[in-house]
Amino acid sequence: KSFSKEWDIDLDISGRGGLRVCKNDETENHIVSDSPPRSIFLLQRKKSKVGDGLGKTTGWIHRHTLKNRKVEMICGVQYKEVNDDGLLISVKGKEKLLQVDHVVICAGQESNRDLWDSLHTDKSRQYFLIGGSELAAEIDAMRAIDQGTRLGLKIETSNTGDVFNQPIPWSFKIYSTARKMLMRS
């Protein structure tokens, strides 16, 4: 329902094209805020458009939602340094300092732990690996998004090195164990 409300979809199909008729001054249905509580940057090493590999029918929705929430998306990024002033990056050969208080790194399909290796022993800050930077196994965007969400919800109380995987349901554990036992016999 919240998706339908945000995108003005009329679930009763009483309006043309299945869209809800809105008055010009009606904004309560949109979750978008003029001034978000913090700045968020979505960075990627690839030079292609952020989210370019997402599904054709849903990718544009994710990009549009991020844009509406004023997330700054930057592609072709090289990560240089995390320091007391923030995150130092390079884009098209020009260095830029992002003044941030939290950094969540999802480094893609090739695990790149160089930054982690140089930082995680520093006990004055906390560092976390999610997505492909934690484990590059296969196309794992959904796992990275899930881990990033779980980390975001607990970042204030988490410890360096904590992993934020989705809990494995008991039914899957039972199925896996039974399958292994059957394969042995």
Side-chain angles (χ1 to χ4, degrees):
K1 286 190 175 186
S2 63
F3 177 87
S4 299
K5 189 174 182 183
E6 181 174 351
W7 292 93
D8 294 323
I9 296 171
D10 179 9
L11 295 176
D12 297 327
I13 311 176
S14 58
R16 291 184 69 187
L19 297 177
R20 194 170 70 84
V21 179
C22 297
K23 300 173 187 154
N24 288 340
D25 61 347
E26 188 178 354
T27 58
E28 75 277 2
N29 62 314
H30 296 283
I31 300 171
V32 179
S33 168
D34 288 334
S35 55
R38 63 177 60 197
S39 297
I40 297 177
F41 299 91
L42 177 58
L43 312 172
Q44 75 176 22
R45 292 181 296 177
K46 291 189 296 187
K47 292 180 179 160
S48 60
K49 178 173 57 174
V50 172
D52 200 30
L54 295 173
K56 299 287 183 210
T57 58
T58 58
W60 69 271
I61 293 174
H62 298 305
R63 281 190 298 276
H64 187 75
T65 301
L66 292 169
K67 182 180 173 188
N68 279 348
R69 287 172 173 75
K70 302 192 180 2
V71 173
E72 187 173 341
M73 295 176 270
I74 306 172
C75 56
V77 173
Q78 286 185 317
Y79 307 103
K80 297 292 191 178
E81 176 182 54
V82 176
N83 58 40
D84 290 336
D85 297 321
L87 174 64
L88 182 63
I89 62 171
S90 175
V91 181
K92 296 180 183 175
K94 294 183 181 179
E95 288 191 350
K96 180 177 181 176
L97 178 68
L98 303 178
Q99 296 179 335
V100 297
D101 54 10
H102 291 87
V103 177
V104 177
I105 298 173
C106 176
Q109 294 304 307
E110 296 176 25
S111 290
N112 181 343
R113 294 183 177 221
D114 295 345
L115 185 58
W116 167 262
D117 291 339
S118 68
L119 295 174
H120 80 279
T121 56
D122 177 1
K123 301 297 181 197
S124 67
R125 293 197 177 97
Q126 292 185 310
Y127 304 95
F128 304 93
L129 291 172
I130 64 167
S133 64
E134 186 249 330
L135 172 66
E138 54 187 66
I139 298 174
D140 57 1
M142 291 302 290
R143 183 172 52 88
I145 292 166
D146 180 71
Q147 287 179 320
T149 301
R150 290 171 190 281
L151 170 58
L153 292 170
K154 295 182 178 182
I155 198 162
E156 300 295 335
T157 58
S158 298
N159 298 309
T160 295
D162 284 356
V163 178
F164 297 89
N165 288 325
Q166 182 177 18
I168 299 171
W170 280 105
S171 59
F172 182 79
K173 290 178 183 178
I174 292 169
Y175 168 78
S176 297
T177 303
R179 186 166 185 235
K180 286 177 188 176
M181 291 171 67
L182 288 172
M183 297 295 259
R184 289 182 193 150
S185 42

